[in-house]
Amino acid sequence: MKEFDEIYDKYAWQVYLFLLRLCGNETTAEDILQDTFLKAIENSDKFGNRCEVTTWLCSIAKNEYLNYVKRRDNKNLPIEDREIPYDGDLIVQLEDKEKSIAVHKALHALSEPYREVFTLRVMGELSFRQIGDIFGKNENWARVTFFRAKAKLIEKLKEDSYEM
């Protein structure tokens, strides 16, 4: 168990920041962080050193976050009432609420895996290699998927008559 304490001390902050960018809520990120490390302890025998520890933990965190979203079931809430992912270091700085809503609507209109790859890269600040590992693909796949997602996002914003 001492080994897991060391892993927690070393990676908890990075996984917390990843979760904070996904959910935009400190309390929720803390709760999911605890669930993530609990799941990691329960499944430590399945790790097998096939990827970096941070990649493995972020993959678990992402799945825990998706489970949280499903449980929360906010599909019928107006977009203003939803938890919108933290956007502190986005490629495009969101200057006002209208612009923010337009970008998030366009992002939510993307199909998978584009939406998730874009979110992991921009909001989760993961490398292409880490994203590829999460999806069981290679780094090049993640890079191509991200750039296609970005192009689709820009195209959707233009369709909605919103210029960036």
Side-chain angles (χ1 to χ4, degrees):
M1 198 55 128
K2 181 182 177 191
E3 182 180 303
F4 232 85
D5 288 341
E6 292 171 7
I7 289 172
Y8 184 88
D9 291 341
K10 186 173 182 179
Y11 299 108
W13 183 248
Q14 186 176 359
V15 175
Y16 169 76
L17 291 176
F18 169 74
L19 286 164
L20 185 60
R21 292 191 183 271
L22 284 177
C23 68
N25 181 292
E26 292 176 4
T27 304
T28 301
E30 290 169 4
D31 290 345
I32 298 173
L33 177 69
Q34 298 309 314
D35 294 341
T36 297
F37 276 90
L38 179 62
K39 192 77 85 173
I41 289 171
E42 291 171 350
N43 295 295
S44 61
D45 58 322
K46 297 177 185 174
F47 174 55
N49 292 324
R50 292 181 304 240
C51 62
E52 293 181 34
V53 175
T54 51
T55 303
W56 180 61
L57 290 170
C58 285
S59 180
I60 294 170
K62 174 197 66 144
N63 289 329
E64 289 299 308
Y65 172 71
L66 293 174
N67 289 337
Y68 163 78
V69 170
K70 286 178 188 172
R71 285 190 307 267
R72 188 182 67 195
D73 192 29
N74 68 359
K75 294 177 190 169
N76 296 323
L77 291 177
I79 197 161
E80 309 76 60
D81 296 340
R82 295 183 189 181
E83 281 184 22
I84 297 176
Y86 175 73
D87 56 4
D89 295 320
L90 278 174
I91 293 170
V92 176
Q93 290 297 317
L94 304 177
E95 298 166 354
D96 61 306
K97 190 169 184 164
E98 181 182 308
K99 192 174 194 179
S100 175
I101 290 172
V103 170
H104 285 290
K105 279 183 180 179
L107 181 59
H108 286 288
L110 290 179
S111 60
E112 293 298 345
Y114 301 111
R115 177 178 42 232
E116 190 167 355
V117 168
F118 186 87
T119 301
L120 290 172
R121 178 68 179 167
V122 175
M123 295 176 193
E125 296 182 353
L126 295 183
S127 69
F128 290 118
R129 182 169 154 241
Q130 291 171 317
I131 293 169
D133 287 346
I134 288 171
F135 280 89
K137 308 275 186 179
N138 62 33
E139 180 178 343
N140 192 47
W141 175 88
R143 189 177 307 278
V144 168
T145 304
F146 172 74
F147 286 106
R148 287 179 181 166
K150 194 163 80 169
K152 288 176 181 283
L153 187 63
I154 291 168
E155 182 181 318
K156 177 69 175 145
L157 287 167
K158 286 180 181 176
E159 281 177 17
D160 294 342
S161 301
Y162 198 89
E163 295 297 321
M164 295 304 292

